[in-house]
Amino acid sequence: TLRLNAPLADVAERASAAAPAADSRARILMCAPDHFAVDYVINPWMEDQIGRTQRTQARAQWENLRLHLAREAALAYVPSAPGLPDMVFTANAGLVIGETVVVTRFHAKERRPEEDLFRAWFERAGFSTAAWPDKVAFEGAGDALFDRARGLIWCGHGWRSSEEAPPLIERIFETRAVGLRLVDPRFYHLDTCLCPLPGGWLLYYPQAFDERSRDVIATLVPAEFRIELDEREAASFACNAIAIGDRIFLNACPPRLERRLREAGLSPVVTPLSEFVRAGGAAKCLTLELPPTRADLSSLRL
Ligand code: ARG
């Protein structure tokens, strides 16, 4: 049977999480939705949603995502905690590259108590935690997305993470970090409006960014590699996608996007997550990719 809320992952996962994987499968950190709910409002999606999430439905949707991912990746679990309803969104645990993690410094006060729990998990899993200034908000992989094809880290700021975060990230990981300013409160984390895809495609919602940031994207990503969504498409959390191999897991896949993905040789897998959308998150938010190892970083090519 599956232990979903094991006291600190399975022994095997704990021993090896920071070491290069024996197989080359992706590794993903999740947190069971035992205590998931909307108890406060820290983004526009949560307005009017307090107390409206359905526990059984949330569990079933999360479980469906988990089972899909388990076919493609090795999964690890951080124990959930009472009173921390958003801890299920492990994208916000930190940013991991190689054996180093920057543990999240939440802008959202409601989520600050998660920091110590995530830090404890990373330490016990063998990652080394980088020093980070308390006063600089940075919400982890929610606002920092590694683009393998370009060997850079896209960093979102403006709502949750500070503009000061990208230069710090760049220094810690010795990898170019490109700051992008987010201007629409519904797209408050970078992973709600941008997703680097295998093969060098970039899925994003341009209007979530200020003009300068849109120009930066256009400079770094050739037009034929940009997959731009409109407002409706983006509001379905289609950018909040997990790419593993040639599969793309996402809450919803609007027809135009499906066509583009298939043309690019990618297969969308829709895993509906409406209960989590009430809290402002979907597929990508519910996961944290462990490593990209240094080896991945050095063999990059578009
Ligand atoms: N309610 C959570 C928050 O506002 C949702 C987090 C979604 N996570 C993400 N990586 N976009 O913090």
Side-chain angles (χ1 to χ4, degrees):
T1 57
L2 295 155
R3 291 189 309 150
L4 291 181
N5 198 13
L8 259 183
D10 293 330
V11 177
E13 286 168 328
R14 188 195 319 172
S16 65
D23 60 30
S24 58
R25 293 207 306 166
R27 289 176 299 163
I28 289 176
L29 179 67
M30 298 184 77
C31 175
D34 309 299
H35 303 287
F36 170 69
V38 176
D39 290 346
Y40 47 73
V41 176
I42 54 173
N43 69 54
W45 303 90
M46 299 171 97
E47 278 161 28
D48 303 321
Q49 295 297 336
I50 290 184
R52 290 190 57 194
T53 55
Q54 310 247 329
R55 195 165 289 275
T56 343
Q57 175 76 344
R59 184 78 201 195
Q61 291 179 342
W62 183 85
E63 191 62 23
N64 180 51
L65 175 67
R66 192 183 74 78
L67 289 172
H68 275 286
L69 296 178
R71 291 196 205 124
E72 320 284 334
L75 303 181
Y77 305 96
V78 53
S80 61
L84 297 176
D86 275 335
M87 200 176 164
V88 68
F89 298 111
T90 51
N92 302 122
L95 176 66
V96 183
I97 297 182
E99 291 169 27
T100 304
V101 58
V102 170
V103 179
T104 282
R105 178 59 175 165
F106 278 105
H107 165 81
K109 278 186 281 310
E110 292 81 351
R111 296 194 64 184
R112 287 226 169 137
E114 296 175 34
E115 292 171 10
D116 286 344
L117 302 178
F118 286 134
R119 180 176 297 103
W121 187 88
F122 287 122
E123 282 171 358
R124 292 190 61 181
F127 292 95
S128 59
T129 51
W132 188 267
D134 269 0
K135 58 175 199 327
V136 179
F138 173 63
E139 298 201 350
D143 265 332
L145 300 169
F146 184 62
D147 187 331
R148 281 188 173 72
R150 295 179 180 80
L152 58 78
I153 304 169
W154 299 103
C155 289
H157 58 81
W159 299 108
R160 298 298 193 81
S161 296
S162 159
E163 195 172 0
E164 294 168 51
L168 295 174
I169 292 293
E170 181 161 294
R171 225 169 303 144
I172 289 167
F173 293 111
E174 294 169 9
T175 299
R176 181 172 180 199
V178 177
L180 301 173
R181 179 175 298 281
L182 301 167
V183 295
D184 182 329
R186 291 169 303 164
F187 302 96
Y188 58 95
H189 277 144
L190 184 64
D191 67 1
T192 63
C193 51
L194 183 138
C195 179
L197 294 171
W201 278 274
L202 187 78
L203 170 61
Y204 74 121
Y205 171 52
Q207 270 60 56
F209 301 91
D210 73 358
E211 201 186 323
R212 220 201 108 253
S213 305
R214 289 201 296 268
D215 288 347
V216 170
I217 294 172
T219 308
L220 291 169
V221 184
E224 62 271 28
F225 281 98
R226 302 198 295 264
I227 305 180
E228 301 186 351
L229 297 190
D230 66 24
E231 182 178 5
R232 258 181 57 144
E233 293 167 326
S236 73
F237 277 78
C239 293
N240 198 246
I242 309 164
I244 311 178
D246 59 2
R247 309 210 149 184
I248 311 296
F249 301 89
L250 67 193
N251 172 63
C253 191
R256 228 160 50 109
L257 175 59
E258 177 169 359
R259 237 174 294 127
R260 287 298 299 275
L261 291 176
R262 295 207 187 276
E263 277 166 23
L266 302 170
S267 308
V269 180
V270 172
T271 59
L273 293 159
S274 53
E275 291 305 306
F276 299 95
V277 169
R278 296 179 192 276
K284 164 63 172 55
C285 306
L286 292 167
T287 60
L288 178 70
E289 197 180 332
L290 298 174
T293 59
R294 288 281 159 192
D296 291 336
L297 278 172
S298 52
S299 63
L300 299 163
R301 185 138 290 119
L302 184 63

